[in-house]
Amino acid sequence: MSSADGRVGSFFGWNLDFLLENKMTAYGSGTFEAAYYRYDVGGDVAQDVAGSAYLLFAGWLLPQQIGCEGFCGRFRPYARYQWYDRADYAVAAGNEDPREEWDLGAQFVIKGHNARIDTYYGHQELDGGGHDNLFRTGVQLIF
């Protein structure tokens, strides 16, 4: 790993992820995910990515299929919580990096997770103080 001005250092990261999903029933299908991430940076580079992070996700895929002719899918409302515990808070605060974030959203899952549309509202608490409110929409396609 090297920085833009030629300083050299090292990066080591790992994570532990737990995912639980149940089969589709007449009432739908639940998803729960919990994850822990650890990032270590050494040498003469900025420490803004070093630290750890946590993730919790819970969603419920509704059983009713909507649409057809190649665009059939199901809605999944969800909640997600993320926490960032940086090793160097001074650098993170200077960049106004998020420290904590929660999201409430809905996905339209198409063709068994090969495609989906995701829309959510989120709230971030920043390391430098203050907060941001987010509204995002995205598309995922897997070929």
Side-chain angles (χ1 to χ4, degrees), residues 95-109:
N95 294 332
E96 293 191 345
D97 288 336
R99 173 161 182 111
E100 181 178 24
E101 180 177 341
W102 60 264
D103 307 314
L104 296 174
Q107 299 170 335
F108 185 65
V109 180

Side-chain angles (χ1 to χ4, degrees), residues 40-55:
D40 293 310
V41 178
D44 189 27
V45 294
Q47 299 288 321
D48 59 339
V49 296
S52 53
Y54 311 88
L55 166 85

